[in-house]
mmCIF file of all heavy atoms in Angstrom:
data_model
loop_
_atom_site.group_PDB
_atom_site.id
_atom_site.type_symbol
_atom_site.label_atom_id
_atom_site.label_comp_id
_atom_site.label_asym_id
_atom_site.label_seq_id
_atom_site.Cartn_x
_atom_site.Cartn_y
_atom_site.Cartn_z
ATOM 1 N N VAL A 144 30.092 -17.094 114.584
ATOM 2 C CA VAL A 144 30.873 -16.133 113.823
ATOM 3 C C VAL A 144 31.276 -16.785 112.500
ATOM 4 O O VAL A 144 31.606 -17.996 112.461
ATOM 5 C CB VAL A 144 32.138 -15.702 114.587
ATOM 6 C CG1 VAL A 144 32.926 -14.649 113.799
ATOM 7 C CG2 VAL A 144 31.778 -15.177 115.957
ATOM 8 N N LEU A 146 33.633 -17.889 110.019
ATOM 9 C CA LEU A 146 35.076 -18.183 109.917
ATOM 10 C C LEU A 146 35.265 -19.249 108.867
ATOM 11 O O LEU A 146 34.383 -20.077 108.675
ATOM 12 C CB LEU A 146 35.604 -18.692 111.259
ATOM 13 C CG LEU A 146 35.434 -17.761 112.475
ATOM 14 C CD1 LEU A 146 35.920 -18.470 113.744
ATOM 15 C CD2 LEU A 146 36.225 -16.461 112.287
ATOM 16 N N THR A 148 37.611 -21.609 109.006
ATOM 17 C CA THR A 148 38.229 -22.798 109.599
ATOM 18 C C THR A 148 37.425 -23.283 110.789
ATOM 19 O O THR A 148 36.742 -22.520 111.446
ATOM 20 C CB THR A 148 39.686 -22.528 110.079
ATOM 21 O OG1 THR A 148 39.622 -21.478 111.062
ATOM 22 C CG2 THR A 148 40.544 -22.082 108.913
ATOM 23 N N ALA A 149 37.560 -24.602 111.097
ATOM 24 C CA ALA A 149 36.945 -25.163 112.298
ATOM 25 C C ALA A 149 37.725 -24.752 113.546
ATOM 26 O O ALA A 149 37.165 -24.688 114.642
ATOM 27 C CB ALA A 149 36.887 -26.667 112.198
ATOM 28 N N ASP A 150 39.011 -24.460 113.391
ATOM 29 C CA ASP A 150 39.832 -23.926 114.490
ATOM 30 C C ASP A 150 39.469 -22.497 114.738
ATOM 31 O O ASP A 150 39.840 -21.575 113.980
ATOM 32 C CB ASP A 150 41.329 -24.051 114.106
ATOM 33 C CG ASP A 150 42.266 -23.687 115.225
ATOM 34 O OD1 ASP A 150 41.901 -22.852 116.051
ATOM 35 O OD2 ASP A 150 43.400 -24.241 115.292
ATOM 36 N N VAL A 151 38.710 -22.266 115.794
ATOM 37 C CA VAL A 151 38.160 -20.923 116.056
ATOM 38 C C VAL A 151 39.263 -19.898 116.314
ATOM 39 O O VAL A 151 39.227 -18.761 115.804
ATOM 40 C CB VAL A 151 37.189 -20.942 117.233
ATOM 41 C CG1 VAL A 151 36.699 -19.545 117.589
ATOM 42 C CG2 VAL A 151 36.011 -21.879 116.913
ATOM 43 N N ALA A 152 40.261 -20.250 117.091
ATOM 44 C CA ALA A 152 41.380 -19.330 117.358
ATOM 45 C C ALA A 152 42.092 -18.908 116.090
ATOM 46 O O ALA A 152 42.385 -17.703 115.877
ATOM 47 C CB ALA A 152 42.355 -19.933 118.349
ATOM 48 N N ASP A 153 42.371 -19.865 115.254
ATOM 49 C CA ASP A 153 43.035 -19.581 113.976
ATOM 50 C C ASP A 153 42.167 -18.697 113.131
ATOM 51 O O ASP A 153 42.640 -17.638 112.563
ATOM 52 C CB ASP A 153 43.294 -20.893 113.264
ATOM 53 C CG ASP A 153 43.966 -20.708 111.877
ATOM 54 O OD1 ASP A 153 44.856 -19.853 111.733
ATOM 55 O OD2 ASP A 153 43.566 -21.411 110.939
ATOM 56 N N GLY A 154 40.878 -19.007 113.037
ATOM 57 C CA GLY A 154 39.996 -18.228 112.159
ATOM 58 C C GLY A 154 39.770 -16.820 112.696
ATOM 59 O O GLY A 154 39.770 -15.877 111.889
ATOM 60 N N LEU A 155 39.578 -16.691 113.993
ATOM 61 C CA LEU A 155 39.273 -15.363 114.581
ATOM 62 C C LEU A 155 40.458 -14.435 114.524
ATOM 63 O O LEU A 155 40.345 -13.252 114.318
ATOM 64 C CB LEU A 155 38.759 -15.567 115.975
ATOM 65 C CG LEU A 155 38.114 -14.369 116.668
ATOM 66 C CD1 LEU A 155 36.964 -13.827 115.825
ATOM 67 C CD2 LEU A 155 37.635 -14.729 118.056
ATOM 68 N N ALA A 156 41.672 -14.959 114.715
ATOM 69 C CA ALA A 156 42.868 -14.096 114.722
ATOM 70 C C ALA A 156 43.116 -13.474 113.363
ATOM 71 O O ALA A 156 43.518 -12.293 113.289
ATOM 72 C CB ALA A 156 44.071 -14.942 115.133
ATOM 73 N N ALA A 157 42.813 -14.173 112.279
ATOM 74 C CA ALA A 157 43.139 -13.671 110.948
ATOM 75 C C ALA A 157 41.928 -13.102 110.217
ATOM 76 O O ALA A 157 42.089 -12.439 109.189
ATOM 77 C CB ALA A 157 43.743 -14.805 110.096
ATOM 78 N N VAL A 161 36.033 -9.050 111.185
ATOM 79 C CA VAL A 161 35.913 -8.429 112.524
ATOM 80 C C VAL A 161 37.236 -7.759 112.859
ATOM 81 O O VAL A 161 38.254 -7.997 112.246
ATOM 82 C CB VAL A 161 35.583 -9.474 113.601
ATOM 83 C CG1 VAL A 161 34.263 -10.173 113.276
ATOM 84 C CG2 VAL A 161 36.673 -10.514 113.730
ATOM 85 N N THR A 163 39.041 -6.864 116.607
ATOM 86 C CA THR A 163 39.059 -6.860 118.042
ATOM 87 C C THR A 163 40.445 -6.470 118.546
ATOM 88 O O THR A 163 41.377 -6.320 117.777
ATOM 89 C CB THR A 163 38.627 -8.210 118.604
ATOM 90 O OG1 THR A 163 39.703 -9.154 118.314
ATOM 91 C CG2 THR A 163 37.354 -8.737 118.018
ATOM 92 N N TYR A 165 42.385 -8.402 119.963
ATOM 93 C CA TYR A 165 43.297 -9.553 119.757
ATOM 94 C C TYR A 165 43.416 -9.963 118.274
ATOM 95 O O TYR A 165 44.049 -10.920 117.964
ATOM 96 C CB TYR A 165 42.899 -10.767 120.620
ATOM 97 C CG TYR A 165 41.379 -10.963 120.695
ATOM 98 C CD1 TYR A 165 40.680 -11.634 119.708
ATOM 99 C CD2 TYR A 165 40.704 -10.454 121.782
ATOM 100 C CE1 TYR A 165 39.317 -11.813 119.784
ATOM 101 C CE2 TYR A 165 39.313 -10.644 121.887
ATOM 102 C CZ TYR A 165 38.624 -11.338 120.888
ATOM 103 O OH TYR A 165 37.272 -11.492 120.984
ATOM 104 N N SER A 166 42.738 -9.265 117.380
ATOM 105 C CA SER A 166 42.869 -9.541 115.963
ATOM 106 C C SER A 166 44.344 -9.410 115.523
ATOM 107 O O SER A 166 45.011 -8.429 115.905
ATOM 108 C CB SER A 166 42.003 -8.605 115.130
ATOM 109 O OG SER A 166 40.611 -8.859 115.357
ATOM 110 N N ASP A 168 46.672 -11.415 116.382
ATOM 111 C CA ASP A 168 47.539 -12.026 117.428
ATOM 112 C C ASP A 168 46.962 -13.378 117.820
ATOM 113 O O ASP A 168 46.070 -13.460 118.684
ATOM 114 C CB ASP A 168 47.576 -11.073 118.658
ATOM 115 C CG ASP A 168 48.583 -11.551 119.684
ATOM 116 O OD1 ASP A 168 48.948 -12.742 119.711
ATOM 117 O OD2 ASP A 168 49.049 -10.711 120.522
ATOM 118 N N PRO A 169 47.417 -14.455 117.258
ATOM 119 C CA PRO A 169 46.897 -15.787 117.536
ATOM 120 C C PRO A 169 46.977 -16.168 118.988
ATOM 121 O O PRO A 169 46.055 -16.802 119.545
ATOM 122 C CB PRO A 169 47.717 -16.727 116.656
ATOM 123 C CG PRO A 169 48.214 -15.865 115.514
ATOM 124 C CD PRO A 169 48.446 -14.515 116.118
ATOM 125 N N GLU A 170 48.102 -15.802 119.666
ATOM 126 C CA GLU A 170 48.216 -16.152 121.086
ATOM 127 C C GLU A 170 47.206 -15.406 121.960
ATOM 128 O O GLU A 170 46.507 -16.033 122.797
ATOM 129 C CB GLU A 170 49.632 -15.801 121.557
ATOM 130 C CG GLU A 170 49.897 -16.238 122.968
ATOM 131 C CD GLU A 170 51.330 -15.960 123.422
ATOM 132 O OE1 GLU A 170 52.176 -15.709 122.549
ATOM 133 O OE2 GLU A 170 51.587 -16.020 124.633
ATOM 134 N N ALA A 171 47.031 -14.131 121.704
ATOM 135 C CA ALA A 171 46.025 -13.377 122.495
ATOM 136 C C ALA A 171 44.619 -13.861 122.175
ATOM 137 O O ALA A 171 43.753 -13.866 123.082
ATOM 138 C CB ALA A 171 46.154 -11.894 122.136
ATOM 139 N N THR A 172 44.373 -14.258 120.936
ATOM 140 C CA THR A 172 43.046 -14.791 120.582
ATOM 141 C C THR A 172 42.770 -16.080 121.324
ATOM 142 O O THR A 172 41.684 -16.294 121.860
ATOM 143 C CB THR A 172 42.950 -15.052 119.071
ATOM 144 O OG1 THR A 172 43.205 -13.835 118.345
ATOM 145 C CG2 THR A 172 41.576 -15.564 118.694
ATOM 146 N N SER A 173 43.770 -16.946 121.391
ATOM 147 C CA SER A 173 43.616 -18.217 122.148
ATOM 148 C C SER A 173 43.336 -17.954 123.599
ATOM 149 O O SER A 173 42.513 -18.645 124.245
ATOM 150 C CB SER A 173 44.852 -19.057 121.971
ATOM 151 O OG SER A 173 45.051 -19.448 120.615
ATOM 152 N N GLU A 174 43.996 -16.957 124.174
ATOM 153 C CA GLU A 174 43.774 -16.632 125.592
ATOM 154 C C GLU A 174 42.356 -16.113 125.848
ATOM 155 O O GLU A 174 41.698 -16.483 126.825
ATOM 156 C CB GLU A 174 44.771 -15.593 126.061
ATOM 157 C CG GLU A 174 46.210 -16.114 126.112
ATOM 158 C CD GLU A 174 47.254 -15.035 126.455
ATOM 159 O OE1 GLU A 174 46.838 -13.870 126.571
ATOM 160 O OE2 GLU A 174 48.430 -15.362 126.572
ATOM 161 N N ALA A 175 41.874 -15.281 124.924
ATOM 162 C CA ALA A 175 40.509 -14.758 125.053
ATOM 163 C C ALA A 175 39.474 -15.864 124.957
ATOM 164 O O ALA A 175 38.482 -15.899 125.695
ATOM 165 C CB ALA A 175 40.236 -13.702 123.973
ATOM 166 N N LEU A 176 39.711 -16.837 124.063
ATOM 167 C CA LEU A 176 38.785 -17.936 123.917
ATOM 168 C C LEU A 176 38.899 -18.928 125.094
ATOM 169 O O LEU A 176 37.878 -19.479 125.514
ATOM 170 C CB LEU A 176 39.103 -18.682 122.608
ATOM 171 C CG LEU A 176 38.808 -17.904 121.336
ATOM 172 C CD1 LEU A 176 39.278 -18.671 120.123
ATOM 173 C CD2 LEU A 176 37.305 -17.600 121.196
ATOM 174 N N ALA A 177 40.074 -19.051 125.619
ATOM 175 C CA ALA A 177 40.236 -19.989 126.766
ATOM 176 C C ALA A 177 39.397 -19.566 127.959
ATOM 177 O O ALA A 177 38.921 -20.414 128.718
ATOM 178 C CB ALA A 177 41.733 -20.072 127.133
ATOM 179 N N ALA A 178 39.266 -18.255 128.107
ATOM 180 C CA ALA A 178 38.481 -17.755 129.248
ATOM 181 C C ALA A 178 37.006 -18.129 129.148
ATOM 182 O O ALA A 178 36.269 -18.087 130.141
ATOM 183 C CB ALA A 178 38.619 -16.207 129.311
ATOM 184 N N LEU A 179 36.568 -18.476 127.935
ATOM 185 C CA LEU A 179 35.157 -18.817 127.721
ATOM 186 C C LEU A 179 34.849 -20.292 128.118
ATOM 187 O O LEU A 179 33.696 -20.651 128.341
ATOM 188 C CB LEU A 179 34.730 -18.627 126.279
ATOM 189 C CG LEU A 179 34.775 -17.204 125.735
ATOM 190 C CD1 LEU A 179 34.372 -17.184 124.280
ATOM 191 C CD2 LEU A 179 33.872 -16.265 126.532
ATOM 192 N N GLY A 180 35.907 -21.108 128.134
ATOM 193 C CA GLY A 180 35.705 -22.520 128.458
ATOM 194 C C GLY A 180 34.875 -23.260 127.465
ATOM 195 O O GLY A 180 34.000 -24.055 127.802
ATOM 196 N N LEU A 181 35.052 -22.964 126.172
ATOM 197 C CA LEU A 181 34.221 -23.580 125.145
ATOM 198 C C LEU A 181 34.604 -25.079 124.979
ATOM 199 O O LEU A 181 35.769 -25.428 125.150
ATOM 200 C CB LEU A 181 34.457 -22.854 123.793
ATOM 201 C CG LEU A 181 34.073 -21.401 123.752
ATOM 202 C CD1 LEU A 181 34.449 -20.802 122.372
ATOM 203 C CD2 LEU A 181 32.589 -21.237 123.980
ATOM 204 N N PRO A 182 33.623 -25.922 124.601
ATOM 205 C CA PRO A 182 33.903 -27.317 124.395
ATOM 206 C C PRO A 182 34.695 -27.488 123.100
ATOM 207 O O PRO A 182 34.716 -26.585 122.218
ATOM 208 C CB PRO A 182 32.529 -27.957 124.277
ATOM 209 C CG PRO A 182 31.650 -26.830 123.821
ATOM 210 C CD PRO A 182 32.176 -25.578 124.449
ATOM 211 N N ALA A 183 35.342 -28.653 122.914
ATOM 212 C CA ALA A 183 36.112 -28.906 121.712
ATOM 213 C C ALA A 183 35.214 -28.892 120.479
ATOM 214 O O ALA A 183 35.577 -28.343 119.434
ATOM 215 C CB ALA A 183 36.810 -30.254 121.837
ATOM 216 N N LEU A 185 31.897 -27.362 119.150
ATOM 217 C CA LEU A 185 30.980 -26.294 119.504
ATOM 218 C C LEU A 185 29.534 -26.620 119.118
ATOM 219 O O LEU A 185 29.272 -26.993 117.957
ATOM 220 C CB LEU A 185 31.371 -24.975 118.814
ATOM 221 C CG LEU A 185 32.393 -24.099 119.544
ATOM 222 C CD1 LEU A 185 33.724 -24.848 119.757
ATOM 223 C CD2 LEU A 185 32.635 -22.809 118.776
ATOM 224 N N ALA A 189 27.415 -22.863 122.469
ATOM 225 C CA ALA A 189 28.829 -22.441 122.443
ATOM 226 C C ALA A 189 29.055 -21.381 121.362
ATOM 227 O O ALA A 189 29.785 -20.400 121.554
ATOM 228 C CB ALA A 189 29.751 -23.623 122.268
ATOM 229 N N HIS A 190 28.448 -21.609 120.200
ATOM 230 C CA HIS A 190 28.529 -20.607 119.132
ATOM 231 C C HIS A 190 27.927 -19.290 119.561
ATOM 232 O O HIS A 190 28.466 -18.230 119.226
ATOM 233 C CB HIS A 190 27.815 -21.138 117.891
ATOM 234 C CG HIS A 190 28.668 -22.094 117.061
ATOM 235 N ND1 HIS A 190 29.884 -21.735 116.510
ATOM 236 C CD2 HIS A 190 28.441 -23.394 116.690
ATOM 237 C CE1 HIS A 190 30.355 -22.757 115.835
ATOM 238 N NE2 HIS A 190 29.503 -23.783 115.958
ATOM 239 N N ARG A 191 26.824 -19.297 120.305
ATOM 240 C CA ARG A 191 26.221 -18.057 120.775
ATOM 241 C C ARG A 191 27.140 -17.347 121.735
ATOM 242 O O ARG A 191 27.306 -16.103 121.734
ATOM 243 C CB ARG A 191 24.919 -18.351 121.479
ATOM 244 C CG ARG A 191 23.796 -18.751 120.537
ATOM 245 C CD ARG A 191 22.433 -18.833 121.265
ATOM 246 N NE ARG A 191 21.446 -19.347 120.377
ATOM 247 C CZ ARG A 191 21.075 -20.634 120.331
ATOM 248 N NH1 ARG A 191 21.675 -21.522 121.117
ATOM 249 N NH2 ARG A 191 20.171 -21.063 119.489
ATOM 250 N N THR A 192 27.820 -18.112 122.617
ATOM 251 C CA THR A 192 28.756 -17.507 123.561
ATOM 252 C C THR A 192 29.921 -16.875 122.802
ATOM 253 O O THR A 192 30.352 -15.745 123.134
ATOM 254 C CB THR A 192 29.331 -18.598 124.496
ATOM 255 O OG1 THR A 192 28.255 -19.183 125.230
ATOM 256 C CG2 THR A 192 30.348 -18.037 125.464
ATOM 257 N N LEU A 193 30.411 -17.551 121.767
ATOM 258 C CA LEU A 193 31.484 -16.981 120.953
ATOM 259 C C LEU A 193 31.021 -15.696 120.272
ATOM 260 O O LEU A 193 31.780 -14.682 120.271
ATOM 261 C CB LEU A 193 31.913 -18.025 119.920
ATOM 262 C CG LEU A 193 32.929 -17.545 118.877
ATOM 263 C CD1 LEU A 193 34.228 -17.124 119.496
ATOM 264 C CD2 LEU A 193 33.123 -18.608 117.784
ATOM 265 N N ALA A 194 29.855 -15.674 119.715
ATOM 266 C CA ALA A 194 29.328 -14.499 119.015
ATOM 267 C C ALA A 194 29.205 -13.361 119.962
ATOM 268 O O ALA A 194 29.509 -12.223 119.603
ATOM 269 C CB ALA A 194 27.998 -14.809 118.368
ATOM 270 N N SER A 195 28.745 -13.614 121.186
ATOM 271 C CA SER A 195 28.605 -12.552 122.164
ATOM 272 C C SER A 195 29.949 -11.933 122.494
ATOM 273 O O SER A 195 30.066 -10.711 122.638
ATOM 274 C CB SER A 195 27.955 -13.113 123.433
ATOM 275 O OG SER A 195 26.636 -13.555 123.190
ATOM 276 N N LEU A 196 30.955 -12.781 122.691
ATOM 277 C CA LEU A 196 32.335 -12.270 122.977
ATOM 278 C C LEU A 196 32.773 -11.349 121.858
ATOM 279 O O LEU A 196 33.270 -10.237 122.113
ATOM 280 C CB LEU A 196 33.284 -13.438 123.107
ATOM 281 C CG LEU A 196 34.779 -13.055 123.156
ATOM 282 C CD1 LEU A 196 35.105 -12.457 124.495
ATOM 283 C CD2 LEU A 196 35.663 -14.254 122.851
ATOM 284 N N VAL A 197 32.671 -11.818 120.613
ATOM 285 C CA VAL A 197 33.140 -11.037 119.473
ATOM 286 C C VAL A 197 32.387 -9.744 119.348
ATOM 287 O O VAL A 197 32.958 -8.640 119.135
ATOM 288 C CB VAL A 197 33.061 -11.843 118.194
ATOM 289 C CG1 VAL A 197 33.376 -11.001 116.985
ATOM 290 C CG2 VAL A 197 34.035 -13.064 118.257
ATOM 291 N N ALA A 198 31.050 -9.784 119.452
ATOM 292 C CA ALA A 198 30.263 -8.579 119.292
ATOM 293 C C ALA A 198 30.593 -7.521 120.327
ATOM 294 O O ALA A 198 30.771 -6.350 120.026
ATOM 295 C CB ALA A 198 28.753 -8.925 119.389
ATOM 296 N N ASP A 200 33.478 -7.366 122.124
ATOM 297 C CA ASP A 200 34.845 -6.956 121.974
ATOM 298 C C ASP A 200 35.051 -5.983 120.782
ATOM 299 O O ASP A 200 35.930 -5.112 120.798
ATOM 300 C CB ASP A 200 35.770 -8.157 121.830
ATOM 301 C CG ASP A 200 35.960 -8.904 123.146
ATOM 302 O OD1 ASP A 200 35.493 -8.384 124.190
ATOM 303 O OD2 ASP A 200 36.556 -9.977 123.150
#
Side-chain angles (χ1 to χ4, degrees):
V144 183
L146 302 174
T148 61
D150 185 329
V151 176
D153 178 42
L155 192 56
V161 300
T163 68
Y165 40 83
S166 292
D168 187 337
E170 183 176 346
T172 302
S173 295
E174 291 175 357
L176 293 174
L179 296 179
L181 298 175
L185 273 61
H190 279 300
R191 289 189 187 94
T192 300
L193 173 64
S195 296
L196 170 75
V197 172
D200 286 352

